[in-house]
Amino acid sequence: MPLLRFDLIEGRSEDNLRKLLDTAHRAMVEAFSVPERDRYQIVHQHPAHELIIEDTGLGFTRTRDVVIINIVSKARTSDQKERLYALLAQRLEAECGIRPEDLMVSISENGDADWSFGLGEAQFLTGKL
């Protein structure tokens, strides 16, 4: 049920994007124990001048490969979140060549009443999910 939005600089190939999405999904399944088909991902590509992503004083430099992942999810533990951050950094570097310095992740939490997967129903509230 997590909804992932990826913001990145335009120019990646379709295969490159698919590998990025698949890798992020596998990390999500492992860290948050969500079902394999619980997959909601949206990619937004921007011209380079539309993304200003600095280092918050951490002392590293971002490249054109920067990836920002915004996640909307039900509440997760700090351990689950830290596991996700680590898995994303490790796997995106190993499988996609994205440096950990070029990855930024933000998680926003919400509750059961905040989701409708269709049919005008809140499936978590109705018991269908």
Side-chain angles (χ1 to χ4, degrees), residues 4 8 10 17 24 27 30 33 45 48 62 69-70 72 79 85-86 92-93 95 100 105-106 110-111 115 120 123:
L4 283 73
L8 39 99
E10 62 191 0
L17 286 173
E30 185 174 331
S33 299
Q45 296 188 63
R62 310 269 191 193
I69 304 175
N70 291 292
V72 179
D79 288 343
Y85 303 148
L92 290 176
E93 182 175 37
E95 298 177 33
V105 181
S106 174
N110 62 14
W115 293 96
Q123 286 86 356

mmCIF file with all atom_site columns, all heavy atoms in Angstrom, residues 4 8 10 17 24 27 30 33 45 48 62 69-70 72 79 85-86 92-93 95 100 105-106 110-111 115 120 123:
data_model
loop_
_atom_site.group_PDB
_atom_site.id
_atom_site.type_symbol
_atom_site.label_atom_id
_atom_site.label_alt_id
_atom_site.label_comp_id
_atom_site.label_asym_id
_atom_site.label_entity_id
_atom_site.label_seq_id
_atom_site.pdbx_PDB_ins_code
_atom_site.Cartn_x
_atom_site.Cartn_y
_atom_site.Cartn_z
_atom_site.occupancy
_atom_site.B_iso_or_equiv
_atom_site.pdbx_formal_charge
_atom_site.auth_seq_id
_atom_site.auth_comp_id
_atom_site.auth_asym_id
_atom_site.auth_atom_id
_atom_site.pdbx_PDB_model_num
ATOM 1   N N   . LEU A 1 4   ? 4.732   5.367  -3.831  1.00 0.00 ? 4   LEU A N   1
ATOM 2   C CA  . LEU A 1 4   ? 6.060   5.945  -4.032  1.00 0.00 ? 4   LEU A CA  1
ATOM 3   C C   . LEU A 1 4   ? 6.054   6.884  -5.215  1.00 0.00 ? 4   LEU A C   1
ATOM 4   O O   . LEU A 1 4   ? 5.593   6.521  -6.299  1.00 0.00 ? 4   LEU A O   1
ATOM 5   C CB  . LEU A 1 4   ? 7.106   4.850  -4.281  1.00 0.00 ? 4   LEU A CB  1
ATOM 6   C CG  . LEU A 1 4   ? 7.578   4.074  -3.064  1.00 0.00 ? 4   LEU A CG  1
ATOM 7   C CD1 . LEU A 1 4   ? 6.522   3.121  -2.556  1.00 0.00 ? 4   LEU A CD1 1
ATOM 8   C CD2 . LEU A 1 4   ? 8.841   3.316  -3.398  1.00 0.00 ? 4   LEU A CD2 1
ATOM 9   N N   . LEU A 1 8   ? 13.138  12.831 -10.500 1.00 0.00 ? 8   LEU A N   1
ATOM 10  C CA  . LEU A 1 8   ? 14.495  12.715 -11.005 1.00 0.00 ? 8   LEU A CA  1
ATOM 11  C C   . LEU A 1 8   ? 14.673  13.578 -12.242 1.00 0.00 ? 8   LEU A C   1
ATOM 12  O O   . LEU A 1 8   ? 13.701  14.050 -12.819 1.00 0.00 ? 8   LEU A O   1
ATOM 13  C CB  . LEU A 1 8   ? 14.839  11.253 -11.299 1.00 0.00 ? 8   LEU A CB  1
ATOM 14  C CG  . LEU A 1 8   ? 13.755  10.380 -11.909 1.00 0.00 ? 8   LEU A CG  1
ATOM 15  C CD1 . LEU A 1 8   ? 13.923  10.255 -13.389 1.00 0.00 ? 8   LEU A CD1 1
ATOM 16  C CD2 . LEU A 1 8   ? 13.825  9.030  -11.250 1.00 0.00 ? 8   LEU A CD2 1
ATOM 17  N N   . GLU A 1 10  ? 15.265  14.334 -15.992 1.00 0.00 ? 10  GLU A N   1
ATOM 18  C CA  . GLU A 1 10  ? 14.862  13.622 -17.192 1.00 0.00 ? 10  GLU A CA  1
ATOM 19  C C   . GLU A 1 10  ? 16.060  13.108 -17.986 1.00 0.00 ? 10  GLU A C   1
ATOM 20  O O   . GLU A 1 10  ? 17.167  13.610 -17.855 1.00 0.00 ? 10  GLU A O   1
ATOM 21  C CB  . GLU A 1 10  ? 13.999  14.525 -18.078 1.00 0.00 ? 10  GLU A CB  1
ATOM 22  C CG  . GLU A 1 10  ? 14.714  15.759 -18.582 1.00 0.00 ? 10  GLU A CG  1
ATOM 23  C CD  . GLU A 1 10  ? 13.782  16.766 -19.240 1.00 0.00 ? 10  GLU A CD  1
ATOM 24  O OE1 . GLU A 1 10  ? 12.568  16.512 -19.315 1.00 0.00 ? 10  GLU A OE1 1
ATOM 25  O OE2 . GLU A 1 10  ? 14.289  17.808 -19.664 1.00 0.00 ? 10  GLU A OE2 1
ATOM 26  N N   . LEU A 1 17  ? 14.709  3.173  -16.014 1.00 0.00 ? 17  LEU A N   1
ATOM 27  C CA  . LEU A 1 17  ? 13.617  3.507  -15.092 1.00 0.00 ? 17  LEU A CA  1
ATOM 28  C C   . LEU A 1 17  ? 12.988  2.245  -14.523 1.00 0.00 ? 17  LEU A C   1
ATOM 29  O O   . LEU A 1 17  ? 12.704  2.174  -13.324 1.00 0.00 ? 17  LEU A O   1
ATOM 30  C CB  . LEU A 1 17  ? 12.554  4.345  -15.796 1.00 0.00 ? 17  LEU A CB  1
ATOM 31  C CG  . LEU A 1 17  ? 12.926  5.789  -16.079 1.00 0.00 ? 17  LEU A CG  1
ATOM 32  C CD1 . LEU A 1 17  ? 11.858  6.449  -16.941 1.00 0.00 ? 17  LEU A CD1 1
ATOM 33  C CD2 . LEU A 1 17  ? 13.135  6.566  -14.800 1.00 0.00 ? 17  LEU A CD2 1
ATOM 34  N N   . ALA A 1 24  ? 13.593  -0.615 -6.206  1.00 0.00 ? 24  ALA A N   1
ATOM 35  C CA  . ALA A 1 24  ? 12.951  0.058  -5.074  1.00 0.00 ? 24  ALA A CA  1
ATOM 36  C C   . ALA A 1 24  ? 11.799  -0.784 -4.534  1.00 0.00 ? 24  ALA A C   1
ATOM 37  O O   . ALA A 1 24  ? 11.604  -0.880 -3.314  1.00 0.00 ? 24  ALA A O   1
ATOM 38  C CB  . ALA A 1 24  ? 12.460  1.441  -5.493  1.00 0.00 ? 24  ALA A CB  1
ATOM 39  N N   . ALA A 1 27  ? 13.069  -3.631 -2.352  1.00 0.00 ? 27  ALA A N   1
ATOM 40  C CA  . ALA A 1 27  ? 13.481  -3.107 -1.043  1.00 0.00 ? 27  ALA A CA  1
ATOM 41  C C   . ALA A 1 27  ? 12.263  -2.832 -0.170  1.00 0.00 ? 27  ALA A C   1
ATOM 42  O O   . ALA A 1 27  ? 12.262  -3.129 1.030   1.00 0.00 ? 27  ALA A O   1
ATOM 43  C CB  . ALA A 1 27  ? 14.316  -1.840 -1.220  1.00 0.00 ? 27  ALA A CB  1
ATOM 44  N N   . GLU A 1 30  ? 10.743  -6.103 1.160   1.00 0.00 ? 30  GLU A N   1
ATOM 45  C CA  . GLU A 1 30  ? 11.561  -6.671 2.232   1.00 0.00 ? 30  GLU A CA  1
ATOM 46  C C   . GLU A 1 30  ? 11.483  -5.848 3.519   1.00 0.00 ? 30  GLU A C   1
ATOM 47  O O   . GLU A 1 30  ? 11.302  -6.405 4.604   1.00 0.00 ? 30  GLU A O   1
ATOM 48  C CB  . GLU A 1 30  ? 13.016  -6.792 1.782   1.00 0.00 ? 30  GLU A CB  1
ATOM 49  C CG  . GLU A 1 30  ? 13.891  -7.474 2.798   1.00 0.00 ? 30  GLU A CG  1
ATOM 50  C CD  . GLU A 1 30  ? 15.299  -7.737 2.294   1.00 0.00 ? 30  GLU A CD  1
ATOM 51  O OE1 . GLU A 1 30  ? 15.483  -7.907 1.081   1.00 0.00 ? 30  GLU A OE1 1
ATOM 52  O OE2 . GLU A 1 30  ? 16.208  -7.780 3.137   1.00 0.00 ? 30  GLU A OE2 1
ATOM 53  N N   . SER A 1 33  ? 7.505   -5.471 4.571   1.00 0.00 ? 33  SER A N   1
ATOM 54  C CA  . SER A 1 33  ? 6.713   -6.716 4.515   1.00 0.00 ? 33  SER A CA  1
ATOM 55  C C   . SER A 1 33  ? 5.364   -6.518 3.820   1.00 0.00 ? 33  SER A C   1
ATOM 56  O O   . SER A 1 33  ? 4.342   -7.008 4.273   1.00 0.00 ? 33  SER A O   1
ATOM 57  C CB  . SER A 1 33  ? 6.497   -7.283 5.924   1.00 0.00 ? 33  SER A CB  1
ATOM 58  O OG  . SER A 1 33  ? 7.727   -7.593 6.527   1.00 0.00 ? 33  SER A OG  1
ATOM 59  N N   . GLN A 1 45  ? 9.708   13.104 -14.153 1.00 0.00 ? 45  GLN A N   1
ATOM 60  C CA  . GLN A 1 45  ? 11.022  13.520 -14.641 1.00 0.00 ? 45  GLN A CA  1
ATOM 61  C C   . GLN A 1 45  ? 10.999  15.023 -14.886 1.00 0.00 ? 45  GLN A C   1
ATOM 62  O O   . GLN A 1 45  ? 10.013  15.562 -15.394 1.00 0.00 ? 45  GLN A O   1
ATOM 63  C CB  . GLN A 1 45  ? 11.355  12.774 -15.930 1.00 0.00 ? 45  GLN A CB  1
ATOM 64  C CG  . GLN A 1 45  ? 11.470  11.272 -15.702 1.00 0.00 ? 45  GLN A CG  1
ATOM 65  C CD  . GLN A 1 45  ? 11.995  10.561 -16.915 1.00 0.00 ? 45  GLN A CD  1
ATOM 66  O OE1 . GLN A 1 45  ? 13.123  10.805 -17.334 1.00 0.00 ? 45  GLN A OE1 1
ATOM 67  N NE2 . GLN A 1 45  ? 11.176  9.694  -17.484 1.00 0.00 ? 45  GLN A NE2 1
ATOM 68  N N   . ALA A 1 48  ? 16.770  19.555 -15.503 1.00 0.00 ? 48  ALA A N   1
ATOM 69  C CA  . ALA A 1 48  ? 17.726  19.711 -14.393 1.00 0.00 ? 48  ALA A CA  1
ATOM 70  C C   . ALA A 1 48  ? 17.497  20.999 -13.595 1.00 0.00 ? 48  ALA A C   1
ATOM 71  O O   . ALA A 1 48  ? 17.650  20.996 -12.369 1.00 0.00 ? 48  ALA A O   1
ATOM 72  C CB  . ALA A 1 48  ? 19.150  19.666 -14.923 1.00 0.00 ? 48  ALA A CB  1
ATOM 73  N N   . ARG A 1 62  ? 25.735  16.298 -4.993  1.00 0.00 ? 62  ARG A N   1
ATOM 74  C CA  . ARG A 1 62  ? 24.755  15.539 -5.777  1.00 0.00 ? 62  ARG A CA  1
ATOM 75  C C   . ARG A 1 62  ? 25.151  15.604 -7.254  1.00 0.00 ? 62  ARG A C   1
ATOM 76  O O   . ARG A 1 62  ? 25.773  16.562 -7.701  1.00 0.00 ? 62  ARG A O   1
ATOM 77  C CB  . ARG A 1 62  ? 23.351  16.128 -5.629  1.00 0.00 ? 62  ARG A CB  1
ATOM 78  C CG  . ARG A 1 62  ? 22.918  16.370 -4.199  1.00 0.00 ? 62  ARG A CG  1
ATOM 79  C CD  . ARG A 1 62  ? 22.212  15.216 -3.608  1.00 0.00 ? 62  ARG A CD  1
ATOM 80  N NE  . ARG A 1 62  ? 21.607  15.636 -2.331  1.00 0.00 ? 62  ARG A NE  1
ATOM 81  C CZ  . ARG A 1 62  ? 21.127  14.813 -1.465  1.00 0.00 ? 62  ARG A CZ  1
ATOM 82  N NH1 . ARG A 1 62  ? 21.160  13.523 -1.681  1.00 0.00 ? 62  ARG A NH1 1
ATOM 83  N NH2 . ARG A 1 62  ? 20.604  15.242 -0.341  1.00 0.00 ? 62  ARG A NH2 1
ATOM 84  N N   . ILE A 1 69  ? 12.787  10.070 -3.476  1.00 0.00 ? 69  ILE A N   1
ATOM 85  C CA  . ILE A 1 69  ? 11.652  9.166  -3.328  1.00 0.00 ? 69  ILE A CA  1
ATOM 86  C C   . ILE A 1 69  ? 10.796  9.664  -2.169  1.00 0.00 ? 69  ILE A C   1
ATOM 87  O O   . ILE A 1 69  ? 11.267  9.748  -1.031  1.00 0.00 ? 69  ILE A O   1
ATOM 88  C CB  . ILE A 1 69  ? 12.098  7.712  -3.066  1.00 0.00 ? 69  ILE A CB  1
ATOM 89  C CG1 . ILE A 1 69  ? 13.034  7.232  -4.169  1.00 0.00 ? 69  ILE A CG1 1
ATOM 90  C CG2 . ILE A 1 69  ? 10.876  6.807  -2.957  1.00 0.00 ? 69  ILE A CG2 1
ATOM 91  C CD1 . ILE A 1 69  ? 13.619  5.845  -3.919  1.00 0.00 ? 69  ILE A CD1 1
ATOM 92  N N   . ASN A 1 70  ? 9.561   10.020 -2.483  1.00 0.00 ? 70  ASN A N   1
ATOM 93  C CA  . ASN A 1 70  ? 8.578   10.401 -1.469  1.00 0.00 ? 70  ASN A CA  1
ATOM 94  C C   . ASN A 1 70  ? 7.628   9.231  -1.303  1.00 0.00 ? 70  ASN A C   1
ATOM 95  O O   . ASN A 1 70  ? 7.047   8.756  -2.283  1.00 0.00 ? 70  ASN A O   1
ATOM 96  C CB  . ASN A 1 70  ? 7.807   11.647 -1.910  1.00 0.00 ? 70  ASN A CB  1
ATOM 97  C CG  . ASN A 1 70  ? 8.682   12.864 -1.925  1.00 0.00 ? 70  ASN A CG  1
ATOM 98  O OD1 . ASN A 1 70  ? 9.113   13.324 -0.887  1.00 0.00 ? 70  ASN A OD1 1
ATOM 99  N ND2 . ASN A 1 70  ? 8.953   13.386 -3.105  1.00 0.00 ? 70  ASN A ND2 1
ATOM 100 N N   . VAL A 1 72  ? 4.283   7.643  0.744   1.00 0.00 ? 72  VAL A N   1
ATOM 101 C CA  . VAL A 1 72  ? 3.115   7.805  1.600   1.00 0.00 ? 72  VAL A CA  1
ATOM 102 C C   . VAL A 1 72  ? 2.735   6.405  2.049   1.00 0.00 ? 72  VAL A C   1
ATOM 103 O O   . VAL A 1 72  ? 2.577   5.502  1.228   1.00 0.00 ? 72  VAL A O   1
ATOM 104 C CB  . VAL A 1 72  ? 1.934   8.477  0.864   1.00 0.00 ? 72  VAL A CB  1
ATOM 105 C CG1 . VAL A 1 72  ? 0.728   8.595  1.784   1.00 0.00 ? 72  VAL A CG1 1
ATOM 106 C CG2 . VAL A 1 72  ? 2.349   9.835  0.321   1.00 0.00 ? 72  VAL A CG2 1
ATOM 107 N N   . ASP A 1 79  ? 12.697  1.120  12.961  1.00 0.00 ? 79  ASP A N   1
ATOM 108 C CA  . ASP A 1 79  ? 13.542  0.051  12.430  1.00 0.00 ? 79  ASP A CA  1
ATOM 109 C C   . ASP A 1 79  ? 13.190  -0.268 10.986  1.00 0.00 ? 79  ASP A C   1
ATOM 110 O O   . ASP A 1 79  ? 14.080  -0.473 10.154  1.00 0.00 ? 79  ASP A O   1
ATOM 111 C CB  . ASP A 1 79  ? 13.432  -1.218 13.279  1.00 0.00 ? 79  ASP A CB  1
ATOM 112 C CG  . ASP A 1 79  ? 14.127  -1.099 14.630  1.00 0.00 ? 79  ASP A CG  1
ATOM 113 O OD1 . ASP A 1 79  ? 14.966  -0.173 14.799  1.00 0.00 ? 79  ASP A OD1 1
ATOM 114 O OD2 . ASP A 1 79  ? 13.838  -1.931 15.516  1.00 0.00 ? 79  ASP A OD2 1
ATOM 115 N N   . TYR A 1 85  ? 15.759  2.578  4.174   1.00 0.00 ? 85  TYR A N   1
ATOM 116 C CA  . TYR A 1 85  ? 16.777  3.527  3.713   1.00 0.00 ? 85  TYR A CA  1
ATOM 117 C C   . TYR A 1 85  ? 18.066  2.795  3.329   1.00 0.00 ? 85  TYR A C   1
ATOM 118 O O   . TYR A 1 85  ? 18.660  3.071  2.287   1.00 0.00 ? 85  TYR A O   1
ATOM 119 C CB  . TYR A 1 85  ? 17.101  4.566  4.791   1.00 0.00 ? 85  TYR A CB  1
ATOM 120 C CG  . TYR A 1 85  ? 15.932  5.379  5.294   1.00 0.00 ? 85  TYR A CG  1
ATOM 121 C CD1 . TYR A 1 85  ? 15.906  5.812  6.611   1.00 0.00 ? 85  TYR A CD1 1
ATOM 122 C CD2 . TYR A 1 85  ? 14.862  5.715  4.475   1.00 0.00 ? 85  TYR A CD2 1
ATOM 123 C CE1 . TYR A 1 85  ? 14.851  6.574  7.094   1.00 0.00 ? 85  TYR A CE1 1
ATOM 124 C CE2 . TYR A 1 85  ? 13.797  6.466  4.957   1.00 0.00 ? 85  TYR A CE2 1
ATOM 125 C CZ  . TYR A 1 85  ? 13.797  6.888  6.256   1.00 0.00 ? 85  TYR A CZ  1
ATOM 126 O OH  . TYR A 1 85  ? 12.752  7.633  6.744   1.00 0.00 ? 85  TYR A OH  1
ATOM 127 N N   . ALA A 1 86  ? 18.484  1.862  4.177   1.00 0.00 ? 86  ALA A N   1
ATOM 128 C CA  . ALA A 1 86  ? 19.720  1.119  3.917   1.00 0.00 ? 86  ALA A CA  1
ATOM 129 C C   . ALA A 1 86  ? 19.591  0.238  2.677   1.00 0.00 ? 86  ALA A C   1
ATOM 130 O O   . ALA A 1 86  ? 20.496  0.209  1.832   1.00 0.00 ? 86  ALA A O   1
ATOM 131 C CB  . ALA A 1 86  ? 20.095  0.272  5.134   1.00 0.00 ? 86  ALA A CB  1
ATOM 132 N N   . LEU A 1 92  ? 20.188  0.287  -4.905  1.00 0.00 ? 92  LEU A N   1
ATOM 133 C CA  . LEU A 1 92  ? 20.198  1.216  -6.032  1.00 0.00 ? 92  LEU A CA  1
ATOM 134 C C   . LEU A 1 92  ? 21.619  1.460  -6.520  1.00 0.00 ? 92  LEU A C   1
ATOM 135 O O   . LEU A 1 92  ? 21.842  1.629  -7.718  1.00 0.00 ? 92  LEU A O   1
ATOM 136 C CB  . LEU A 1 92  ? 19.500  2.528  -5.670  1.00 0.00 ? 92  LEU A CB  1
ATOM 137 C CG  . LEU A 1 92  ? 17.981  2.422  -5.495  1.00 0.00 ? 92  LEU A CG  1
ATOM 138 C CD1 . LEU A 1 92  ? 17.399  3.760  -5.053  1.00 0.00 ? 92  LEU A CD1 1
ATOM 139 C CD2 . LEU A 1 92  ? 17.306  1.940  -6.768  1.00 0.00 ? 92  LEU A CD2 1
ATOM 140 N N   . GLU A 1 93  ? 22.580  1.425  -5.606  1.00 0.00 ? 93  GLU A N   1
ATOM 141 C CA  . GLU A 1 93  ? 23.974  1.557  -6.035  1.00 0.00 ? 93  GLU A CA  1
ATOM 142 C C   . GLU A 1 93  ? 24.421  0.300  -6.780  1.00 0.00 ? 93  GLU A C   1
ATOM 143 O O   . GLU A 1 93  ? 24.978  0.376  -7.879  1.00 0.00 ? 93  GLU A O   1
ATOM 144 C CB  . GLU A 1 93  ? 24.890  1.820  -4.849  1.00 0.00 ? 93  GLU A CB  1
ATOM 145 C CG  . GLU A 1 93  ? 26.350  2.001  -5.269  1.00 0.00 ? 93  GLU A CG  1
ATOM 146 C CD  . GLU A 1 93  ? 27.259  2.384  -4.125  1.00 0.00 ? 93  GLU A CD  1
ATOM 147 O OE1 . GLU A 1 93  ? 27.058  1.886  -2.996  1.00 0.00 ? 93  GLU A OE1 1
ATOM 148 O OE2 . GLU A 1 93  ? 28.181  3.183  -4.374  1.00 0.00 ? 93  GLU A OE2 1
ATOM 149 N N   . GLU A 1 95  ? 22.628  -2.181 -8.202  1.00 0.00 ? 95  GLU A N   1
ATOM 150 C CA  . GLU A 1 95  ? 21.863  -2.619 -9.368  1.00 0.00 ? 95  GLU A CA  1
ATOM 151 C C   . GLU A 1 95  ? 21.612  -1.521 -10.398 1.00 0.00 ? 95  GLU A C   1
ATOM 152 O O   . GLU A 1 95  ? 21.349  -1.821 -11.562 1.00 0.00 ? 95  GLU A O   1
ATOM 153 C CB  . GLU A 1 95  ? 20.533  -3.220 -8.906  1.00 0.00 ? 95  GLU A CB  1
ATOM 154 C CG  . GLU A 1 95  ? 20.740  -4.449 -8.028  1.00 0.00 ? 95  GLU A CG  1
ATOM 155 C CD  . GLU A 1 95  ? 19.441  -5.031 -7.487  1.00 0.00 ? 95  GLU A CD  1
ATOM 156 O OE1 . GLU A 1 95  ? 18.417  -4.950 -8.198  1.00 0.00 ? 95  GLU A OE1 1
ATOM 157 O OE2 . GLU A 1 95  ? 19.468  -5.560 -6.365  1.00 0.00 ? 95  GLU A OE2 1
ATOM 158 N N   . PRO A 1 100 ? 24.805  6.391  -3.162  1.00 0.00 ? 100 PRO A N   1
ATOM 159 C CA  . PRO A 1 100 ? 23.991  6.691  -1.975  1.00 0.00 ? 100 PRO A CA  1
ATOM 160 C C   . PRO A 1 100 ? 23.844  8.191  -1.715  1.00 0.00 ? 100 PRO A C   1
ATOM 161 O O   . PRO A 1 100 ? 22.819  8.631  -1.192  1.00 0.00 ? 100 PRO A O   1
ATOM 162 C CB  . PRO A 1 100 ? 24.749  5.998  -0.839  1.00 0.00 ? 100 PRO A CB  1
ATOM 163 C CG  . PRO A 1 100 ? 25.463  4.871  -1.511  1.00 0.00 ? 100 PRO A CG  1
ATOM 164 C CD  . PRO A 1 100 ? 25.862  5.414  -2.869  1.00 0.00 ? 100 PRO A CD  1
ATOM 165 N N   . VAL A 1 105 ? 15.221  10.220 0.566   1.00 0.00 ? 105 VAL A N   1
ATOM 166 C CA  . VAL A 1 105 ? 13.954  9.541  0.821   1.00 0.00 ? 105 VAL A CA  1
ATOM 167 C C   . VAL A 1 105 ? 13.194  10.291 1.906   1.00 0.00 ? 105 VAL A C   1
ATOM 168 O O   . VAL A 1 105 ? 13.773  10.682 2.921   1.00 0.00 ? 105 VAL A O   1
ATOM 169 C CB  . VAL A 1 105 ? 14.179  8.076  1.271   1.00 0.00 ? 105 VAL A CB  1
ATOM 170 C CG1 . VAL A 1 105 ? 12.847  7.373  1.505   1.00 0.00 ? 105 VAL A CG1 1
ATOM 171 C CG2 . VAL A 1 105 ? 15.037  7.311  0.266   1.00 0.00 ? 105 VAL A CG2 1
ATOM 172 N N   . SER A 1 106 ? 11.900  10.464 1.676   1.00 0.00 ? 106 SER A N   1
ATOM 173 C CA  . SER A 1 106 ? 11.032  11.092 2.668   1.00 0.00 ? 106 SER A CA  1
ATOM 174 C C   . SER A 1 106 ? 9.782   10.231 2.809   1.00 0.00 ? 106 SER A C   1
ATOM 175 O O   . SER A 1 106 ? 9.207   9.799  1.809   1.00 0.00 ? 106 SER A O   1
ATOM 176 C CB  . SER A 1 106 ? 10.652  12.501 2.212   1.00 0.00 ? 106 SER A CB  1
ATOM 177 O OG  . SER A 1 106 ? 9.705   13.066 3.085   1.00 0.00 ? 106 SER A OG  1
ATOM 178 N N   . ASN A 1 110 ? 0.105   8.071  7.078   1.00 0.00 ? 110 ASN A N   1
ATOM 179 C CA  . ASN A 1 110 ? -1.315  8.360  7.195   1.00 0.00 ? 110 ASN A CA  1
ATOM 180 C C   . ASN A 1 110 ? -2.025  7.134  7.752   1.00 0.00 ? 110 ASN A C   1
ATOM 181 O O   . ASN A 1 110 ? -1.376  6.160  8.126   1.00 0.00 ? 110 ASN A O   1
ATOM 182 C CB  . ASN A 1 110 ? -1.896  8.824  5.859   1.00 0.00 ? 110 ASN A CB  1
ATOM 183 C CG  . ASN A 1 110 ? -1.797  7.780  4.780   1.00 0.00 ? 110 ASN A CG  1
ATOM 184 O OD1 . ASN A 1 110 ? -1.530  6.620  5.038   1.00 0.00 ? 110 ASN A OD1 1
ATOM 185 N ND2 . ASN A 1 110 ? -2.016  8.179  3.552   1.00 0.00 ? 110 ASN A ND2 1
ATOM 186 N N   . GLY A 1 111 ? -3.354  7.165  7.815   1.00 0.00 ? 111 GLY A N   1
ATOM 187 C CA  . GLY A 1 111 ? -4.096  6.075  8.442   1.00 0.00 ? 111 GLY A CA  1
ATOM 188 C C   . GLY A 1 111 ? -5.060  5.382  7.492   1.00 0.00 ? 111 GLY A C   1
ATOM 189 O O   . GLY A 1 111 ? -5.142  5.704  6.301   1.00 0.00 ? 111 GLY A O   1
ATOM 190 N N   . TRP A 1 115 ? -7.106  6.099  2.568   1.00 0.00 ? 115 TRP A N   1
ATOM 191 C CA  . TRP A 1 115 ? -6.868  5.338  1.336   1.00 0.00 ? 115 TRP A CA  1
ATOM 192 C C   . TRP A 1 115 ? -8.175  4.858  0.725   1.00 0.00 ? 115 TRP A C   1
ATOM 193 O O   . TRP A 1 115 ? -9.027  4.305  1.413   1.00 0.00 ? 115 TRP A O   1
ATOM 194 C CB  . TRP A 1 115 ? -6.011  4.103  1.629   1.00 0.00 ? 115 TRP A CB  1
ATOM 195 C CG  . TRP A 1 115 ? -4.628  4.435  2.044   1.00 0.00 ? 115 TRP A CG  1
ATOM 196 C CD1 . TRP A 1 115 ? -4.159  4.541  3.330   1.00 0.00 ? 115 TRP A CD1 1
ATOM 197 C CD2 . TRP A 1 115 ? -3.511  4.710  1.204   1.00 0.00 ? 115 TRP A CD2 1
ATOM 198 N NE1 . TRP A 1 115 ? -2.837  4.870  3.335   1.00 0.00 ? 115 TRP A NE1 1
ATOM 199 C CE2 . TRP A 1 115 ? -2.408  4.978  2.035   1.00 0.00 ? 115 TRP A CE2 1
ATOM 200 C CE3 . TRP A 1 115 ? -3.343  4.764  -0.169  1.00 0.00 ? 115 TRP A CE3 1
ATOM 201 C CZ2 . TRP A 1 115 ? -1.146  5.286  1.538   1.00 0.00 ? 115 TRP A CZ2 1
ATOM 202 C CZ3 . TRP A 1 115 ? -2.075  5.072  -0.668  1.00 0.00 ? 115 TRP A CZ3 1
ATOM 203 C CH2 . TRP A 1 115 ? -0.996  5.329  0.182   1.00 0.00 ? 115 TRP A CH2 1
ATOM 204 N N   . GLY A 1 120 ? -14.891 4.049  -4.878  1.00 0.00 ? 120 GLY A N   1
ATOM 205 C CA  . GLY A 1 120 ? -15.413 5.010  -3.920  1.00 0.00 ? 120 GLY A CA  1
ATOM 206 C C   . GLY A 1 120 ? -15.491 4.484  -2.502  1.00 0.00 ? 120 GLY A C   1
ATOM 207 O O   . GLY A 1 120 ? -16.305 4.937  -1.711  1.00 0.00 ? 120 GLY A O   1
ATOM 208 N N   . GLN A 1 123 ? -11.204 0.815  1.563   1.00 0.00 ? 123 GLN A N   1
ATOM 209 C CA  . GLN A 1 123 ? -11.115 -0.636 1.747   1.00 0.00 ? 123 GLN A CA  1
ATOM 210 C C   . GLN A 1 123 ? -10.512 -1.059 3.081   1.00 0.00 ? 123 GLN A C   1
ATOM 211 O O   . GLN A 1 123 ? -10.869 -2.123 3.602   1.00 0.00 ? 123 GLN A O   1
ATOM 212 C CB  . GLN A 1 123 ? -10.352 -1.283 0.581   1.00 0.00 ? 123 GLN A CB  1
ATOM 213 C CG  . GLN A 1 123 ? -11.146 -1.338 -0.697  1.00 0.00 ? 123 GLN A CG  1
ATOM 214 C CD  . GLN A 1 123 ? -11.056 -0.069 -1.552  1.00 0.00 ? 123 GLN A CD  1
ATOM 215 O OE1 . GLN A 1 123 ? -10.447 0.913  -1.172  1.00 0.00 ? 123 GLN A OE1 1
ATOM 216 N NE2 . GLN A 1 123 ? -11.709 -0.088 -2.699  1.00 0.00 ? 123 GLN A NE2 1
#
